[in-house]
Amino acid sequence: MSKVTECARALGEAIVDSEEYKNMQITEEAAMSDPAVAEAMGRYMELKELIGNLMSQEDPDPELIAQYGREMDEMQQTMNSMPVVDAMTDSRQKFSELMNQVNKILEFIITGEVQQGGGCSGNCSGCAGCH
């Protein structure tokens, strides 16, 4: 194994051993084992699929798409009001921040540059998502 792959393996193990990762795993498991979350998530995913199916039709019904969209918003609000989902979202954010720090360090070591601000570099590989 090369030095680079050995270091990558060590980094991966350190990340998996981090408090951020462990906490994310715990909160995700708690959220996914909650029947109310599972029900709301199931309905949300069902509505998303229904909208996708409608959008693939030649002449989709805009009123039905809007209705499903409103229901999706309601399911999202329902999930967001659940403390277990809030804890999961918070832990995911903290893990994402850790990964962003790791990526910035790697970028600096490789390029010698530090990206200023929170702007988009156009490269989504290390991004936590557009906000």
Side-chain angles (χ1 to χ4, degrees), residues 1 5-22 95 98-99 102:
M1 192 177 328
T5 54
E6 285 177 29
C7 289
R9 178 178 292 280
L11 176 59
E13 290 171 358
I15 290 169
V16 168
D17 196 39
S18 71
E19 289 302 314
E20 292 87 349
Y21 181 82
K22 289 176 183 178
F95 178 72
L98 171 68
M99 293 306 298
V102 168

Side-chain angles (χ1 to χ4, degrees), residues 55-67:
M55 296 298 287
S56 68
Q57 294 176 357
E58 189 171 316
D59 189 24
D61 182 348
E63 290 178 25
L64 195 52
I65 291 171
Q67 175 188 333

Side-chain angles (χ1 to χ4, degrees), residues 11-68:
L11 176 59
E13 290 171 358
I15 290 169
V16 168
D17 196 39
S18 71
E19 289 302 314
E20 292 87 349
Y21 181 82
K22 289 176 183 178
N23 192 39
M24 182 180 69
Q25 293 296 306
I26 291 167
T27 58
E28 284 179 350
E29 186 177 315
M32 295 307 148
S33 65
D34 184 311
V37 174
E39 181 181 335
M41 180 61 76
R43 181 62 181 153
Y44 181 88
M45 297 307 291
E46 178 185 352
L47 290 163
K48 184 176 179 178
E49 184 176 339
L50 288 170
I51 289 174
N53 290 340
L54 281 171
M55 296 298 287
S56 68
Q57 294 176 357
E58 189 171 316
D59 189 24
D61 182 348
E63 290 178 25
L64 195 52
I65 291 171
Q67 175 188 333
Y68 291 157

Side-chain angles (χ1 to χ4, degrees), residues 88-105:
M88 179 183 69
T89 301
D90 184 56
S91 69
R92 284 179 172 176
Q93 179 61 37
K94 288 178 179 162
F95 178 72
S96 179
E97 290 168 6
L98 171 68
M99 293 306 298
N100 284 336
Q101 289 174 348
V102 168
N103 287 329
K104 286 179 183 180
I105 291 167

